[in-house]
Amino acid sequence: MKTFYIETFGCQMNVHDSEKVIGTLVSEGYSQVDTPEEADLVLYNTCSIRDKAEQKVFSRLSSFKRDLGKGKKFAVLGCVAQQEGERIFEKAPHVSMVVGSASYNKLPELLVQLEAGNQRVTGLNLDTEDTFETPFARRDNPHRAYITIIEGCDKSCAYCVVPFTRGPERSRASESILNEARMLAESGYTEIQLLGQNVNSYRDPSPAGLDFASLLEKVAQIPGLRRVRFTTSHPRDFVKEIVDVMDRNPVLCNHIHLPVQSGSTAVLNRMQRLYTRDEYMRRIEWIKNSHRNIAITTDIIVGFPGETEADFEETLSLLDEVQYDSLFSFKYSRRPNTPAIALDDHLSEEEKGRRLTILQEKQRGIQIRRNAELIGSIQEVLVEGFNRATGQWIGRTSQNRVLNFSHPQGEEANLLGRYLDARVTRSGPNSLVGEPVNLV
Ligand code: 5AD
Ligand code: SF4
């Protein structure tokens, strides 16, 4: 029996790609093992969004240098594979396969070449009409399933490597998406997450011609689904119809992730984000005017080249204005091929670090306040796990908050995948604590 081990870095797109890769490997006769030591084939599905993410794969690979020639094979998949291509064979000579995400549908052929002893197997073509679809996706989470609706990205944000690593935008036919969602609902999944680098620019290539809002409404109406989420949205393509569809369909979760990146219009302009602060705020108003209680989260980059203290202050004031429920924040990192490398006035690591700390402190205060406002409220949670260390169940609210709670029977209660109502009793910056009210 041939065995493989896979480790995944990066975003949900990568997590879901790995599920597809695992399904394909299993259908090709491989079986999955839990450690690289046990495996004949070790795969790393990589992320190159920031330099630190990229370094991770090379540090993993370097710990296996001694295995060179011992029959174990190494493969690099995903964004670093696409970005670095054949250079990976020079940097890490024990790697014998390098495959970008647009070529995973060729994996069966590539595995044949690998097994035949080819030392430099590559799948790096980005020039593809194919959207990787496989009947084999092996999903680990039995309740929440990811579905890809659009691959690649046609924007050209000045800092971002994704258009180079995932290629041009390709939308998947709506019938294929809806069939997969129906099939998942029939087999017991209650939560679905629609994925794409920019889901808002979804354009159905089939005659039905759905846009994202209409697709969302059709998915929401599939019997059996209780929660539908989507990520990621780009403010430029985010239209009011999306909020209208959410208003009409309670199955769509109370959460929108709308990455802003900066609160300064001047920085947004240099980032080539294609919207101003005011235009972004208009979208926030649509969301806040919804009769649903929609949580808003975002991504922020601090220290983009040329970001002045005044620009940074504008990002801080945006946080005050929006009152985000949560955010991901990053120091700007130079990425190969991206337009921002050529800009003047790169900031020092120290200054970027200083700004990041200030931003995170501010947001922490906002989250403490926002979460405390929920004390006493009843929240429906999907139970996602059990924490042995604390003896508590881990639930997630529609707004995507983590809510921990105890149950008299502890782990024996077997609540995984159940929906129940909990009353919030305590709160912290990153999670809530509650007690179950009843099983619903
Ligand atoms: N440096 C820092 N952060 C980045 N992101 C994307 N590219 C970079 C970069 N070069 C962040 C953005 C994006 C998130 C996924 O990662 O905030 O929304
Ligand atoms: Fe990382 Fe972006 Fe690739 Fe996702 S798409 S794995 S975040 S580089």
Side-chain angles (χ1 to χ4, degrees):
M1 186 61 139
K2 302 171 286 188
T3 56
F4 73 96
Y5 167 84
I6 186 165
E7 184 175 354
T8 306
F9 305 93
C11 61
Q12 284 114 322
M13 299 281 287
N14 255 22
V15 172
H16 186 38
D17 282 347
S18 285
E19 293 177 335
K20 298 174 189 176
V21 168
I22 293 168
T24 304
L25 285 165
V26 169
S27 76
E28 294 295 314
Y30 282 77
S31 72
Q32 190 173 8
V33 292
D34 294 333
T35 64
E37 287 75 18
E38 296 165 79
D40 303 319
L41 173 61
V42 176
L43 307 109
Y44 294 109
N45 190 5
T46 61
C47 172
S48 65
I49 196 85
R50 285 168 292 276
D51 189 53
K52 255 197 208 148
E54 179 176 343
Q55 293 318 319
K56 274 188 196 153
V57 61
F58 291 108
S59 90
R60 287 290 192 288
L61 284 168
S62 66
S63 62
F64 284 101
K65 263 194 189 125
R66 61 181 190 285
D67 286 85
L68 189 58
K70 282 196 193 153
K72 200 188 276 300
K73 292 186 196 306
F74 292 87
V76 177
L77 312 180
C79 292
V80 177
Q82 193 67 53
Q83 178 190 296
E84 293 299 305
E86 305 203 9
R87 283 196 295 268
I88 293 177
F89 297 128
E90 318 299 331
K91 283 191 185 174
H94 48 315
V95 171
S96 43
M97 184 161 83
V98 174
V99 187
S101 63
S103 303
Y104 294 155
N105 54 353
K106 304 212 173 62
L107 266 179
E109 307 150 41
L110 299 174
L111 287 167
V112 170
Q113 295 177 32
L114 187 72
E115 286 167 17
N118 189 334
Q119 290 299 310
R120 290 188 165 210
V121 180
T122 55
L124 293 168
N125 196 355
L126 267 184
D127 192 18
T128 169
E129 279 300 295
D130 290 335
T131 294
F132 180 55
E133 281 182 48
T134 165
F136 310 125
R138 173 65 71 96
R139 292 178 166 91
D140 268 349
N141 183 319
H143 315 294
R144 182 182 53 228
Y146 294 126
I147 299 184
T148 311
I149 65 165
I150 179 169
E151 297 263 8
C153 184
D154 281 351
K155 293 281 182 293
S156 47
C157 302
Y159 50 79
C160 189
V161 79
V162 173
F164 308 98
T165 64
R166 285 186 173 268
E169 242 170 50
R170 291 144 281 150
S171 289
R172 180 173 167 191
S174 59
E175 225 13 72
S176 162
I177 296 169
L178 294 167
N179 282 338
E180 185 172 7
R182 279 186 213 110
M183 193 240 349
L184 289 163
E186 278 160 19
S187 59
Y189 287 92
T190 58
E191 177 172 328
I192 275 182
Q193 191 159 340
L194 304 176
L195 295 181
Q197 291 305 330
N198 176 4
V199 289
N200 310 129
S201 68
Y202 175 80
R203 282 288 169 280
D204 186 359
S206 70
L210 304 185
D211 62 9
F212 178 63
S214 342
L215 176 74
L216 201 54
E217 185 142 47
K218 283 216 162 17
V219 174
Q221 286 163 1
I222 292 174
L225 295 184
R226 293 188 61 162
R227 286 187 170 184
V228 175
R229 301 182 187 276
F230 55 90
T231 198
T232 285
S233 290
H234 189 298
R236 165 75 175 214
D237 301 319
F238 188 91
V239 293
K240 183 161 178 305
E241 282 69 31
I242 297 170
V243 181
D244 297 341
V245 169
M246 292 176 79
D247 269 334
R248 291 196 293 272
N249 294 277
V251 162
L252 299 172
C253 284
N254 282 338
H255 175 213
I256 293 173
H257 184 64
L258 199 61
V260 67
Q261 314 300 356
S262 168
S264 152
T265 296
V267 173
L268 290 172
N269 191 24
R270 267 186 302 168
M271 286 178 164
Q272 294 165 207
R273 286 292 284 176
L274 311 174
Y275 54 85
T276 63
R277 176 180 174 133
D278 285 349
E279 284 163 346
Y280 181 83
M281 281 312 297
R282 211 166 305 147
R283 280 136 187 86
I284 297 293
E285 290 314 313
W286 297 337
I287 299 169
K288 289 192 171 170
N289 287 335
S290 156
H291 73 253
R292 306 276 303 274
N293 191 1
I294 301 176
I296 306 173
T297 60
T298 201
D299 294 342
I300 305 261
I301 297 175
V302 298
F304 186 76
E307 184 189 77
T308 62
E309 190 63 34
D311 290 321
F312 177 60
E313 296 282 334
E314 288 200 55
T315 298
L316 295 178
S317 81
L318 184 81
L319 263 51
D320 281 329
E321 205 172 331
V322 178
Q323 297 282 309
Y324 289 108
D325 294 275
S326 170
L327 62 73
F328 297 103
S329 51
F330 313 99
K331 290 192 277 186
Y332 167 73
S333 164
R334 292 173 199 239
R335 305 314 294 130
N337 308 318
T338 58
I341 311 181
L343 294 176
D344 295 331
D345 299 327
H346 284 256
L347 280 74
S348 68
E349 278 307 303
E350 198 185 354
E351 180 56 20
K352 287 189 265 185
R354 188 186 71 85
R355 292 184 188 182
L356 188 68
T357 308
I358 295 172
L359 182 101
Q360 291 178 340
E361 280 296 303
K362 178 170 206 63
Q363 179 59 21
R364 191 179 144 86
I366 293 174
Q367 283 177 212
I368 288 174
R369 279 197 303 280
R370 287 191 71 73
N371 286 343
E373 282 165 15
L374 295 173
I375 292 177
S377 70
I378 307 272
Q379 302 283 329
E380 185 192 63
V381 297
L382 165 59
V383 184
E384 294 189 341
F386 183 78
N387 182 339
R388 291 226 166 86
T390 61
Q392 284 182 318
W393 287 94
I394 307 163
R396 188 172 295 274
T397 71
S398 171
Q399 290 191 324
N400 209 35
R401 286 184 164 83
V402 171
L403 187 152
N404 300 305
F405 63 94
S406 305
H407 189 281
Q409 286 163 277
E411 198 170 0
E412 303 298 304
N414 202 11
L415 299 176
L416 269 191
R418 304 278 293 270
Y419 288 82
L420 57 84
D421 283 346
R423 178 177 292 107
V424 180
T425 52
R426 281 186 290 140
S427 67
N430 298 311
S431 62
L432 306 170
V433 179
E435 51 196 28
V437 177
N438 63 331
L439 290 175
V440 287

